[in-house]
Amino acid sequence: MEKRFDASVDTLQAAADFANEFCAQERLDPAAEFAVGLAIEEIFTNLVKYGRATSISIRLQRVDAEIRITLTGFDVDPFDPTLAPSPVVDLPLAERRPGGLGLHLVRSLMDRMEYAHSDRTSTITLAKRMG
Amino acid sequence: MFDIRLREDGGIVLVGRFDAAQVKSADAFFGAVSGSKVVDCKDLEYISSAGLAVLLRTQKRLAGSGAKLRLVQINRHIFDILRYSGFDQIFELEAIGSP
């Protein structure tokens, strides 16, 4: 399934509803559903924040034993999430800085992340193995 | 849907989906919190890095006066996210079903 959304945090609820519909259709367990929803939000908000996208399409597929999530940002500045540094998450509180956690969580929850950019269009593909 | 409520005993209750769309109102709420507080996560279904950042900012601010947030009744998925984020090092966390 595929759907296009305005690139704004105000459409996150609609994107989550779309993701939940897919997860229900594929009978994913609650842990996988949480992971899919979180990965979509984190990449979506990155495309809004760093890419200044105007719209974002989300494509969700099951390919054999893999869930594949493809987000395409339109009219977007290049921003490669695969190159973003991971935050150090075992620092004491005084040294912790908010931010950078989103892509770290996506890496923790997904098995693969790929990025491509051309003609002001960014495509981020995530994959998670099931079972 | 997301909501933050105050319990009669002064505890904070998070309900629903704490995503990036909720940051502004949540920052306003947590910015007014002073002193140590229990945050009840029993009805919190989802949190993303945007929500985690609100909690982290609050914990850092409260630490200045020796206070802190304690997160309780956390569901399994959110507990995993908190651990991946290293929040088990900087928050007292209690999973759902803990005695």
Side-chain angles (χ1 to χ4, degrees):
Chain A
M1 4 191 321
E2 182 161 11
K3 198 168 179 177
R4 193 153 162 166
F5 301 87
D6 288 340
S8 154
V9 293
D10 296 331
T11 54
L12 277 174
Q13 180 66 57
D17 292 343
F18 174 69
N20 289 343
E21 196 186 317
F22 171 79
C23 292
Q25 183 186 301
E26 294 294 336
R27 296 194 174 85
L28 301 190
D29 63 36
E33 183 171 333
F34 194 102
V36 167
L38 190 91
I40 289 174
E41 175 180 339
E42 300 298 352
I43 299 297
F44 192 100
T45 53
N46 263 273
L47 284 166
V48 173
K49 209 158 119 186
Y50 302 115
R52 293 180 293 156
T54 53
S55 69
I56 296 166
S57 93
I58 302 173
R59 185 175 187 207
L60 301 170
Q61 303 161 272
R62 183 166 199 147
V63 182
D64 300 324
E66 199 174 77
I67 298 299
R68 215 168 280 173
I69 306 166
T70 310
L71 289 101
T72 307
F74 298 96
D75 194 21
V76 73
D77 297 334
F79 175 79
D80 186 346
T82 65
L83 300 179
S86 272
V88 183
V89 296
D90 56 0
L91 289 172
L93 182 62
E95 292 165 40
R96 286 292 301 257
R97 297 282 171 269
L101 273 178
L103 293 174
H104 168 72
L105 291 175
V106 173
R107 286 191 198 103
S108 304
L109 294 167
M110 295 287 132
D111 295 300
R112 204 169 72 234
M113 171 158 57
E114 289 160 9
Y115 169 79
H117 182 91
S118 70
D119 297 333
R120 300 220 16 100
T121 301
S122 286
T123 305
I124 294 101
T125 306
L126 307 167
K128 184 171 180 63
R129 283 188 301 273
M130 293 291 107
Chain B
M1 198 279 288
F2 178 66
D3 196 15
I4 308 178
R5 296 175 195 149
L6 266 180
R7 268 190 338 213
E8 278 180 16
D9 65 3
I12 297 165
V13 183
L14 302 180
V15 180
R17 277 181 57 80
F18 195 171
D19 67 18
Q22 313 302 333
V23 168
K24 206 180 270 183
S25 61
D27 264 333
F29 180 94
F30 278 100
V33 166
S34 62
S36 291
K37 294 275 186 263
V38 170
V39 181
D40 185 337
C41 302
K42 183 165 66 69
D43 295 317
L44 181 65
E45 293 159 11
Y46 171 90
I47 189 166
S48 68
S49 67
L52 297 179
V54 173
L55 296 177
L56 179 55
R57 277 194 287 277
T58 307
Q59 193 76 329
K60 286 174 74 78
R61 182 178 59 77
L62 290 176
S65 57
K68 60 186 174 186
L69 300 178
R70 187 160 72 92
L71 311 183
V72 304
Q73 299 270 84
I74 306 162
N75 80 35
R76 192 162 52 87
H77 314 305
I78 294 177
F79 201 86
D80 285 343
I81 294 301
L82 292 168
R83 274 197 304 109
Y84 292 148
S85 306
F87 276 32
D88 50 342
Q89 315 277 329
I90 51 177
F91 284 86
E92 212 176 301
L93 303 181
E94 212 173 271
I96 231 163
S98 297

